[in-house]
Amino acid sequence: MHYIRHINNRLLLQMTYKMYPLIAGILFFFSACTSSPFIELNSRDNFQLEGETKFSVSLNRDNLPVEMDPILIENLGEAVTNYLEGTGHQSSLDAPIIIELSVDSKDKIKVDDFRYYGYPIHRSYLYDTDRINTVPEFYLRISIKDVDQDKTLWTGLTKWRKGSSFAPVDMPSAELLIENLLVNL
């Protein structure tokens, strides 16, 4: 009996050690997916903002979606100004470089196909085979334009959902979102 228990403990111990890399890989995957926001960047000729560049900030206040808080875009504009002035650039109304901030929303359609449940007993709502939900996603595009050349030199895009940890609901979270985009400039 003692011998069988020893073999079982030894087998379990070996299985446990074999599971460590798998568990570590799963944890790494989830932490990598949730630790940074979605960012998409593009630039013309590997554009870099030169030191002490004069810039002005333009906001799309007139084209804001109804579900977007107008204070949010103003916080994002202040965050851009604070970030760029903190890195040595100068804000000026008649600057040759314009930083355009555009915020928009889009509904993402999500189809609930019930592939995880075999029977309607697991749900607290009526069985519906083609249940469709919409999830609003908000997009922020920052574009750097040269007024003299009338060209976009750099652009960055990010998105978030309501309740996300990256949603710019207050000034510190707006500054974090802007920093995540502009640190690539």
Side-chain angles (χ1 to χ4, degrees), residues 2-19:
H2 178 64
Y3 179 71
I4 293 174
R5 192 172 358 153
H6 177 68
I7 289 176
N8 284 340
N9 287 341
R10 192 170 177 192
L11 286 174
L12 287 174
L13 185 64
Q14 288 177 353
M15 279 193 195
T16 304
Y17 286 136
K18 289 180 182 178
M19 295 297 285

Side-chain angles (χ1 to χ4, degrees), residues 84-99:
L84 290 176
E85 285 179 346
T87 57
H89 305 290
Q90 300 170 1
S91 178
S92 174
L93 292 176
D94 59 342
I97 299 289
I98 296 177
I99 314 291

Side-chain angles (χ1 to χ4, degrees), residues 116-178:
Y116 298 111
Y117 302 110
Y119 301 100
I121 204 166
H122 298 288
R123 293 179 295 278
S124 62
Y125 48 87
L126 295 175
Y127 186 71
D128 187 8
T129 56
D130 56 353
R131 187 180 185 108
I132 297 176
N133 296 325
T134 58
V135 179
E137 291 183 331
F138 301 99
Y139 292 86
L140 168 66
R141 176 161 306 274
I142 298 177
S143 299
I144 299 178
K145 293 189 174 187
D146 187 341
V147 176
D148 298 333
Q149 296 179 3
D150 194 28
K151 288 186 178 180
T152 302
L153 304 174
W154 183 90
T155 186
L157 176 74
T158 188
K159 67 179 178 178
W160 68 90
R161 292 183 182 165
K162 196 171 209 173
S164 167
S165 61
F166 298 109
V169 293
D170 56 4
M171 195 60 180
S173 59
E175 288 175 347
L176 181 65
L177 187 65
I178 293 298

